[in-house]
């Protein structure tokens, strides 16, 4: 069961399509179907935090959950039953020699049979030319995402490159961002960053600003320890750390501040966001910075809301898949003011 005839779907997508039973905590609703290419050989990359890494042990997971495999034709047919809820489809590559060709074929089939806009989550290791990006755009994708994940070159190399005998290169990924913006246009490209791989908040702000200056937005994930991965024993980042990065990302991507206007303490933690207190209060009260960041749907709001992809439903919600309640905002305000010194291993890795 391999792509392009078969694809993996997130557990949330399988539930939304009626392929798996289950309910969403607090009645969250998935707004984008996430599809992942699949091959018997698996992924050739070996990222330290990923449950799909080639050196993993146990059953593979990705973004916290298992991804069941279904015929693409069945996924497409069932997706037509949820057009009142779903607003986008995202097709993701893994590192495999056939991935570019199969990505384009899956995108073409989705576009030919459904009303949904389609995003492509690509790896510049394989999509390594403007021609390849134009092929993806011609297939029907209107946006691309690039999972840079690590905030610094040192962390990227440690977790994705030479440090884990992986094929990915920091410089190639950033060149891929530039090429993608040239092909798809400004704000039609998003980079993924995983908060909690050992970076400081200052380093995360710097890389968010770098992407913004290139014409790309940032989509944030909170590190979650994937079973069987090299970082399975690593704790999630403190909520204060994550909340401040979320707020900084929103302010930068909305053009309300720049990284150079922010101030940081001795641990690289944000102590001033470079905006007026009244504007900051307004933004926090609106709740938007703490929603899942991802590609939009037809209404302009985030479609790729990935319910509970960063935490178990029993834990504090890190990326809200719905508008935070007044009680949630009170909790967020408390979390924003929690400053815990980094653990020793985080200081050494930064």
């Amino acid at each position: 069961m391999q792509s392009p005839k078969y694809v993996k779907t997130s557990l949330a997508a399988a539930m939304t399509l009626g392929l798996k039973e289950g309910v969403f905590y607090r009645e969250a609703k998935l707004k984008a179907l996430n599809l992942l290419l699949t091959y018997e050989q698996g992924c050739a990359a070996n990222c330290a935090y990923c449950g799909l890494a080639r050196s993993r042990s146990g059953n593979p997971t990705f973004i916290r959950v298992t991804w069941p495999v279904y015929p693409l034709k069945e996924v497409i047919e069932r997706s037509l039953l949820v057009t009142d809820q779903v607003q986008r489809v995202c097709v993701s590559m893994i590192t495999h020699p056939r991935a570019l060709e199969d990505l384009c074929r899956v995108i073409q089939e989705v576009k030919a049979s459904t009303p949904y806009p389609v995003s492509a989550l690509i790896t510049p290791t394989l999509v390594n030319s403007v021609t390849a990006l134009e092929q993806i755009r011609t297939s029907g994708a209107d946006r691309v995402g690039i999972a840079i994940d690590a905030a610094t070159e040192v962390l990227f190399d440690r977790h994705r490159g030479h440090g884990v005998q992986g094929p990915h290169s920091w410089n190639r990924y950033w060149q891929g961002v530039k090429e993608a913006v040239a092909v798809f246009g400004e704000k039609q490209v998003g980079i993924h960053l995983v908060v909690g791989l050992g970076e400081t908040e200052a380093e995360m702000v710097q890389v968010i600003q770098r992407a913004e200056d290139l014409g790309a937005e940032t989509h944030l994930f909170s590190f979650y320890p994937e079973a069987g991965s090299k970082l399975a024993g690593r704790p999630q980042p403190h909520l204060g750390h994550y909340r401040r990065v979320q707020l900084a990302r929103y302010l930068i991507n909305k053009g309300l501040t720049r990284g150079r206007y922010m101030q940081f303490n001795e641990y690289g933690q944000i102590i001033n966001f470079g905006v007026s207190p009244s504007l900051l209060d307004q933004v926090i009260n609106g709740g938007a910075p703490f929603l899942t960041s991802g590609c939009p749907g037809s209404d302009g709001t985030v479609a790729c809301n990935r319910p509970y992809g960063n935490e178990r439903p029993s834990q504090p919600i890190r990326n809200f898949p719905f508008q935070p309640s007044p009680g949630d905002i009170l909790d967020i305000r408390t979390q924003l003011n929690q400053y815990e010194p980094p653990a020793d291993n985080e200081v050494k890795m930064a």
Side-chain angles (χ1 to χ4, degrees), residues 282-321:
Q282 179 183 341
V283 170
I284 294 171
N285 287 336
F290 315 104
L291 297 172
T292 307
S293 45
C295 294
S298 56
D299 63 358
T301 64
V302 171
C304 190
N305 61 341
R306 307 183 296 275
Y308 311 108
N310 293 261
E311 71 285 316
R312 296 182 184 277
S314 59
Q315 298 174 317
I317 299 174
R318 292 177 179 253
N319 287 348
F320 282 83

Side-chain angles (χ1 to χ4, degrees), residues 12 15-16 22-31 85 305-308 313 317 320-323 328:
M15 290 166 56
T16 299
V23 295
F24 290 98
Y25 177 59
R26 290 179 61 174
E27 299 183 349
K29 293 186 182 299
L30 181 73
K31 295 171 62 178
Q85 176 177 325
N305 61 341
R306 307 183 296 275
Y308 311 108
I317 299 174
F320 282 83
F322 43 70
Q323 181 64 31
D328 294 326

Side-chain angles (χ1 to χ4, degrees), residues 234-283:
R234 184 180 181 84
Q236 288 193 277
H238 297 301
L239 272 169
H241 178 65
Y242 192 62
R243 292 293 184 225
R244 288 187 291 274
V245 173
Q246 283 181 303
L247 184 52
R249 178 211 67 84
Y250 181 86
L251 293 170
I252 290 171
N253 281 174
K254 293 300 181 181
L256 299 174
T257 190
R258 292 183 61 83
R260 68 171 180 265
Y261 301 143
M262 298 186 185
Q263 296 175 358
F264 306 88
N265 66 15
E266 61 185 304
Y267 298 114
Q269 297 167 321
I270 304 168
I271 55 175
N272 188 310
F273 288 90
V275 299
S276 69
S278 60
L279 176 58
L280 195 63
D281 273 347
Q282 179 183 341
V283 170

Side-chain angles (χ1 to χ4, degrees), residues 73-85:
K73 181 179 179 181
E74 182 178 9
V75 170
I76 288 174
E77 290 174 350
R78 285 180 174 264
S79 78
L80 297 175
L81 304 176
V82 290
T83 54
D84 59 331
Q85 176 177 325

Side-chain angles (χ1 to χ4, degrees), residues 49 121-124 145-150 156 160 173 190-193:
Y49 49 87
L121 182 60
I122 65 172
T123 168
I146 296 175
I148 292 178
D149 292 350
F156 186 102
R160 309 201 69 191
Y173 263 62
I191 69 163
H192 290 186
L193 293 174

Side-chain angles (χ1 to χ4, degrees), residues 13-77:
M15 290 166 56
T16 299
L17 295 173
L19 294 164
K20 291 281 188 182
E21 293 184 357
V23 295
F24 290 98
Y25 177 59
R26 290 179 61 174
E27 299 183 349
K29 293 186 182 299
L30 181 73
K31 295 171 62 178
L33 301 178
N34 300 99
L35 311 182
L36 180 68
L37 300 184
T38 181
Y39 303 97
E40 290 181 3
Q41 302 95 324
C43 184
N46 202 32
C47 304
Y49 49 87
C50 184
L52 299 178
R54 67 173 187 267
S55 64
R56 72 183 183 275
S57 59
N59 294 324
T61 59
F62 184 55
I63 316 179
R64 204 185 70 74
V65 297
T66 57
W67 286 57
V69 179
Y70 298 103
L72 176 60
K73 181 179 179 181
E74 182 178 9
V75 170
I76 288 174
E77 290 174 350

